[in-house]
Amino acid sequence: MKKISLKVCIILLMTVLLIVCNTIVSQATTTSASGSTIYEGENATVSINSSVGLGSYTVELVDAGGLEFVTSSGGIGEGGKLITNTSTNEITSLAKFTFKAPIGIAKQYIVTFKISAMAKPDETEISDETIKGTITVKKKEVAPPSDGGNSGNSGNSGNSGNSGNNGSGNSGTTTKPTVTMLYTSPVDFKGFSASKTSGYSVNVGDSDRVNVSASPSGAEISIINKTNGDTGSKWVYLKEGENEVQVTDKVSGKTYTIMVTRQKAEEKPSEEKPNEEKPTEQKEPLKLTGLEIDGIAISPTFSSDVTEYTALLEDLSIKNADVKASANREGAKIEITGNENLVEGENTIVITVKDGDESKTYQIVLTKQEKQPTEDINAIVAGTTTVERKGVNFVFIIVISVVAVVALAAGIAFIITQIRYKKANKSGMVDFTGISGEEEEIKPRREKYKDDGDDDFPPRGRSGKHF
């Protein structure tokens, strides 16, 4: 018995330990964000990972920390700041976010993410987490100018004497060459002259940097983009638009200025192959997509392919018709004539839509007249319509009056008949003979009259006829 109890206790203890361990592991589930080190102006990608496989999750960029958000990937919502995903398989690589470092600021940037709606494929839920990633931005290093030192032995040697020679020693001075030509890439500029220090320009398209080199070999230069303050020994970053790039010859000290233009994104030219004919774009035929008169119905119902309509205006006080129209092409012009100073009778309103040399015309014939009364006897009898004239419903009043008189006459006749019938019934003057089923009821009354000595039953009127 003791052995059984011991075994039971061990099993219970192991079960509790398993539950606790599972809970600890579940609670210890964490996500992480990778870090990276880049130079100013470069892009860095932060990867969001999970230490356990997830079946669903949401990753949200909460704070870019001063970096420029570029794009994202990893699930639904790619390219934005919110990524979601759901899968029956375990996912550990959740999302990737790309940022661009600014130019001129070298420091550590902290980006913050919120991970929510996490669950394992078996639908075990995991608490939300907030994680941070670190991106270190370094300043581009400019190679220090090499020392072109003067070397050599300068000496005055010689033997001084009667036949002395004034000897001069060899001066061993090594110098760097001066710049005779400058080059830029990815697009080179033209017209350089060592004697001309300004007036140069080049368009490098959408390139975010320009590379500058010099000749002859060994010539040393330094570069600075005066527009954004970026410096370098071979290349500098560019901002969109014009950049004033200064190149200095370290030997001669001359500074050459080149205006470098970086094209804006919306100004990028379309890439077309040379000598290739562009296919003719097929435009949809010009037409109206909507046509109406405010407060007035047109007939038939508007359709882009129907060009003629009619309308009825029954308010003589209205002088102008508010016509509204829209076209199927942006920028198309719509001209409306004939909708002002309306007269009684027919008015022709013309609506013309134009786009370049193409045009299409629509027409509405609007009739302006006083509202006329209409009579519909069937509708009046049915009680579904009334005829109004100057605010008085004459036909309806007449019909009601006739019905009322007929009903009153019928009621009076019915009442008189009932009164006469009751009086006759009380006096026994009603002749029930010949009425089926009434003979047996009349007999007791006939006997009553006989008992009273009156053989004339039923009673007769003055004419001798039975009632």
Side-chain angles (χ1 to χ4, degrees), residues 282-288 305 328-329 358 360 362:
Q282 296 295 329
K283 288 185 178 180
E284 182 182 6
L286 182 65
K287 59 186 177 181
L288 291 181
D305 299 324
N328 64 333
R329 293 184 192 170
E358 192 176 355
K360 187 170 185 177
Y362 294 77

Side-chain angles (χ1 to χ4, degrees), residues 69-243:
F69 170 73
V70 178
T71 187
S72 64
S73 62
I76 300 173
E78 287 188 348
K81 296 183 179 181
L82 185 70
I83 298 291
T84 61
N85 206 345
T86 302
S87 175
T88 55
N89 300 321
E90 293 186 348
I91 304 173
T92 55
S93 179
L94 308 186
K96 292 183 179 181
F97 290 79
T98 302
F99 304 89
K100 184 175 182 179
I103 296 175
I105 304 176
K107 67 172 188 177
Q108 277 192 344
Y109 294 85
I110 305 297
V111 290
T112 306
F113 302 89
K114 181 180 179 181
I115 320 299
S116 59
M118 290 187 290
K120 296 180 180 180
D122 62 1
E123 299 185 357
T124 301
E125 296 183 355
I126 300 173
S127 301
D128 297 350
E129 297 180 359
T130 299
I131 59 176
K132 299 179 183 294
T134 302
I135 297 177
T136 302
V137 177
K138 298 172 65 178
K139 188 174 181 62
K140 295 192 303 291
E141 296 180 0
V142 178
S146 58
D147 295 327
N150 297 323
S151 60
N153 296 319
S154 178
N156 293 322
S157 61
N159 297 317
S160 177
N162 293 330
S163 61
N165 298 320
N166 254 337
S168 66
N170 296 326
S171 175
T173 302
T174 304
T175 61
K176 295 285 184 180
T178 60
V179 172
T180 60
M181 183 61 72
L182 289 177
Y183 309 90
T184 57
S185 63
V187 180
D188 193 15
F189 72 102
K190 297 178 181 180
F192 178 79
S193 172
S195 61
K196 181 183 175 182
T197 58
S198 62
Y200 305 110
S201 64
V202 63
N203 189 323
V204 294
D206 61 350
S207 177
D208 65 346
R209 69 192 75 182
V210 63
N211 180 280
V212 183
S213 58
S215 65
S217 177
E220 293 184 349
I221 58 175
S222 63
I223 314 167
I224 181 171
N225 184 350
K226 297 291 289 185
T227 302
N228 62 11
D230 193 31
T231 59
S233 60
K234 292 183 179 180
W235 50 268
V236 289
Y237 279 101
L238 306 171
K239 73 174 187 64
E240 290 184 345
E242 291 188 342
N243 297 260

